[in-house]
Amino acid sequence: MQVILAGSDGAIRFKNAVERLSPKGNPRILLAVSGGPDSLAMLLLAHASMPDNIVAATVDHGLRPEAAEEADFVATLCAERTINHRILTPDQPITGNIQSAARYARYALLERAADELQCDLIATAHHSDDQLETMLMRLARGSGVNGLAGIRARNGGIIRPLLGFSKSELEQICANAGIEPVRDPSNADNDFDRVAMRQYLGGNPHPFDPARAARTASALADAVEALDWMTQQLAADRLTRQDEGMTLDANDLPRELQRRLVLSALRTIAPEITPRGDAVERLLDDLSDGKTVTISDILCKGGDVWHFSVAPPRRTG
């Protein structure tokens, strides 16, 4: 594999990906760099292709004693390349569901840093192998179209410019630069679904190709965008706001559009609602059968027109 340097194919691919994902030209980007091979390769590609437009940040969650040393390792690499770098730490200790809480804290810290440093976008180092793992994990869980679309190339101010790169390419970029990346021990913990899927793929013959999976995920993401657009158009005619809630004329609509419109109605009444997919499937069946049911404290009535409203308080005593 060729060495990745300024002007090389890899650097050009990276810059082109950033330009496709940026809403405006010449964006200033905050790179989320942990010290692992993926994010270090992203740092090298960004430095080779757009050195004047990047800032790097490393989050130290305070969960492992080695984390501070790893953050310093990234800081040193950045200093050697005259890249502005920040080490970010959470205001409060990470508690509860550690993996979920750490992810929430990480993105909150990155978003705050991006604002302070006047960065237009935050870039993370998800790549095509991550995309394959995500799609297979969600397939195993019975996810719908949105879930099977996998990791989005852009989600608000977060971009993933490495989705067109493989894990092996990123490893090679680090090797070509003579850098030994950090190895996070959690990446070998089979208690995490992603690690188990990664080890299964690595230890068994299979027909799945990360590059092809990335193309499939991109096609599904386009389909999701089209469905969302269609849902917005239909909502203007089919969804009606009333004092006590919402009504939906779902007659003659494909089930997927019914699902999206029902979710839109539920979230209009209760924006925080996140019903599970199987619960929504049961709700659609009940509404189609003309039944009245409750989901997340919202009363849902079937019939020719479906009605949604806040359920009355339950009687006690």
Side-chain angles (χ1 to χ4, degrees), residues 125-146:
H126 296 90
H127 48 75
S128 62
D129 293 67
D130 290 327
Q131 186 71 285
L132 173 60
E133 292 162 8
T134 299
M135 293 179 70
L136 291 176
M137 286 164 56
R138 293 181 180 175
L139 180 64
R141 294 171 187 167
S143 295
V145 178
N146 284 42

Side-chain angles (χ1 to χ4, degrees), residues 249-270:
D249 176 5
N251 286 318
D252 303 322
L253 290 178
R255 188 176 177 90
E256 180 61 26
L257 292 174
Q258 289 180 342
R259 177 186 295 106
R260 291 170 181 272
L261 288 166
V262 164
L263 286 171
S264 179
L266 296 176
R267 288 169 181 157
T268 299
I269 298 170

Side-chain angles (χ1 to χ4, degrees), residues 22-315:
S22 175
K24 69 175 190 178
N26 205 32
R28 182 173 168 84
I29 299 177
L30 179 67
L31 306 171
V33 184
S34 67
D38 311 334
S39 61
L40 284 183
M42 179 174 69
L43 179 72
L44 295 172
L45 289 167
H47 183 245
S49 61
M50 47 192 308
D52 297 329
N53 295 68
I54 58 172
V55 180
T58 303
V59 177
D60 175 3
H61 296 95
L63 295 173
R64 295 183 295 113
E66 306 88 353
E69 184 177 332
E70 293 166 2
D72 289 339
F73 164 68
V74 178
T76 299
L77 290 177
C78 288
E80 292 170 353
R81 292 160 177 78
T82 322
I83 300 171
N84 187 1
H85 176 263
R86 297 287 181 90
I87 296 175
L88 312 177
T89 57
D91 298 326
Q92 302 293 331
I94 303 295
T95 58
N97 182 322
I98 297 299
Q99 192 176 31
S100 177
R103 183 181 185 279
Y104 178 85
R106 178 166 62 254
Y107 279 101
L109 288 166
L110 289 169
E111 288 170 4
R112 186 166 70 187
D115 287 340
E116 293 173 354
L117 296 166
Q118 298 182 319
C119 292
D120 305 296
L121 299 166
I122 299 167
T124 66
H126 296 90
H127 48 75
S128 62
D129 293 67
D130 290 327
Q131 186 71 285
L132 173 60
E133 292 162 8
T134 299
M135 293 179 70
L136 291 176
M137 286 164 56
R138 293 181 180 175
L139 180 64
R141 294 171 187 167
S143 295
V145 178
N146 284 42
L148 292 176
I151 304 168
R152 305 303 169 85
R154 180 175 176 185
N155 184 8
I158 310 292
I159 62 170
R160 281 94 182 201
L162 297 184
L163 286 178
F165 289 78
S166 69
K167 175 74 171 180
S168 60
E169 284 183 286
L170 303 179
E171 293 268 10
Q172 189 61 52
I173 289 169
C174 293
N176 291 342
I179 297 174
E180 179 60 36
V182 168
R183 303 294 173 177
D184 187 341
S186 67
N187 289 332
D189 188 345
N190 271 336
D191 288 340
F192 296 124
D193 289 348
R194 181 174 296 279
V195 175
M197 180 62 74
R198 182 174 301 153
Q199 292 190 353
Y200 171 81
L201 291 172
N204 296 277
H206 61 79
F208 303 111
D209 178 79
R212 292 175 181 173
R215 290 198 297 271
T216 299
S218 179
L220 285 166
D222 289 342
V224 169
E225 184 178 354
L227 286 166
D228 286 342
W229 180 87
M230 190 176 298
T231 301
Q232 291 179 359
Q233 304 303 309
L234 287 168
D237 295 327
R238 300 281 190 136
L239 273 175
T240 303
R241 186 70 185 258
Q242 296 182 338
D243 291 340
E244 70 278 11
M246 303 286 295
T247 62
L248 168 61
D249 176 5
N251 286 318
D252 303 322
L253 290 178
R255 188 176 177 90
E256 180 61 26
L257 292 174
Q258 289 180 342
R259 177 186 295 106
R260 291 170 181 272
L261 288 166
V262 164
L263 286 171
S264 179
L266 296 176
R267 288 169 181 157
T268 299
I269 298 170
E272 74 285 354
I273 192 171
T274 55
R276 295 178 63 87
D278 53 356
V280 177
E281 289 300 315
R282 289 194 299 271
L283 175 60
L284 288 171
D285 289 338
D286 289 336
L287 291 171
S288 297
D289 291 339
K291 296 179 180 178
T292 297
V293 294
T294 300
I295 182 171
S296 299
D297 295 325
I298 297 178
L299 189 66
C300 309
K301 297 181 180 181
D304 293 335
V305 176
W306 297 350
H307 296 259
F308 307 89
S309 60
V310 176
R314 296 179 181 178
R315 294 181 181 179

